[in-house]
């Protein structure tokens, strides 16, 4: 499982990484300190995609909502479905008022800072389960 953490606060990225590693050892985690850095990585040739993306809404330069819109725009241009697709977006922010907008870009979940470990475990577990179900569907499809 490929996981990205995009937050301009280094200690938040480290905290999220630590909580992930406590639950899921079979994953690759890449950290980004800005939305621009994340999008540049994804636009690079042969860069791996992500299955799960923890995304801060409030970042300098390019906020997480703009990043999410761009990710969904790329899927739309490819005429790929957004629901039931990867990456699963989990917004991590200190601003509850953006929640309705987050679900407008098909977020999987929305977490308010400061992160509570028990809530994180529950949401991360749900995301891993959804990821596994999506991957099972991909493997079920007949090859053309």
């Amino acid at each position: 499982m490929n996981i990205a953490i995009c937050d301009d606060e280094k200690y938040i990225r480290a905290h999220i990484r630590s909580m992930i590693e406590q639950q899921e050892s079979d994953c690759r985690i890449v950290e980004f300190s800005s939305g621009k850095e994340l999008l540049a990585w994804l636009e690079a040739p042969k860069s791996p995609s992500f299955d799960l993306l923890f995304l801060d809404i409030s970042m300098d330069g390019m906020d997480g909502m703009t990043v999410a819109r761009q990710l969904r725009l790329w899927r739309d241009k490819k005429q790929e479905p957004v629901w039931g697709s990867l990456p699963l977006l989990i917004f991590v922010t200190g601003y509850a008022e953006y929640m309705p907008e987050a679900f407008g870009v098909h977020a999987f979940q929305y977490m308010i800072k400061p992160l509570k470990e028990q809530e994180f475990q529950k949401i991360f577990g749900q995301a891993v389960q959804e990821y596994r179900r999506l991957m099972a569907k991909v493997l079920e499809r007949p090859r053309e």
Side-chain angles (χ1 to χ4, degrees):
M1 176 185 240
N2 293 321
I3 300 173
I5 304 167
C6 185
D7 196 300
D8 57 351
E9 297 177 90
K10 187 176 182 174
Y11 75 95
I12 295 289
R13 293 192 311 269
H15 185 55
I16 292 172
R17 175 185 281 272
S18 173
M19 288 190 291
I20 291 168
E21 289 171 342
Q22 288 174 20
Q23 293 187 75
E24 185 70 36
S25 59
D26 189 26
C27 62
R28 287 167 298 288
I29 303 170
V30 180
E31 296 179 26
F32 300 94
S33 61
S34 73
K36 286 181 182 180
E37 184 183 5
L38 170 64
L39 290 180
W41 166 277
L42 291 172
E43 289 176 322
K46 296 186 181 183
S47 67
S49 60
F50 296 109
D51 305 310
L52 182 57
L53 172 56
F54 289 90
L55 187 58
D56 186 15
I57 286 182
S58 178
M59 293 184 284
D60 290 333
M62 180 182 292
D63 64 44
M65 199 59 69
T66 301
V67 171
R69 283 190 199 100
Q70 183 61 48
L71 293 174
R72 297 320 188 199
L73 180 63
W74 288 344
R75 290 198 75 82
D76 192 46
K77 283 182 179 179
K78 294 178 184 178
Q79 296 184 344
E80 295 175 344
V82 174
W83 285 109
S85 66
L86 301 174
L88 298 173
L89 297 178
I90 298 177
F91 282 103
V92 180
T93 184
Y95 301 96
E97 62 268 20
Y98 291 103
M99 191 179 297
E101 192 175 351
F103 289 101
V105 293
H106 308 291
F108 180 76
Q109 194 53 266
Y110 194 95
M111 299 179 69
I112 303 293
K113 294 176 186 177
L115 299 176
K116 297 173 183 78
E117 197 164 329
Q118 188 174 15
E119 178 188 15
F120 185 90
Q121 290 172 355
K122 178 183 171 190
I123 290 171
F124 183 73
Q126 290 169 345
V128 169
Q129 185 177 43
E130 183 69 7
Y131 162 76
R132 289 180 177 148
R133 287 177 180 157
L134 289 170
M135 294 311 296
K137 280 187 174 187
V138 168
L139 294 174
E140 287 176 2
R141 288 186 197 143
R143 295 191 183 244
E144 296 176 10

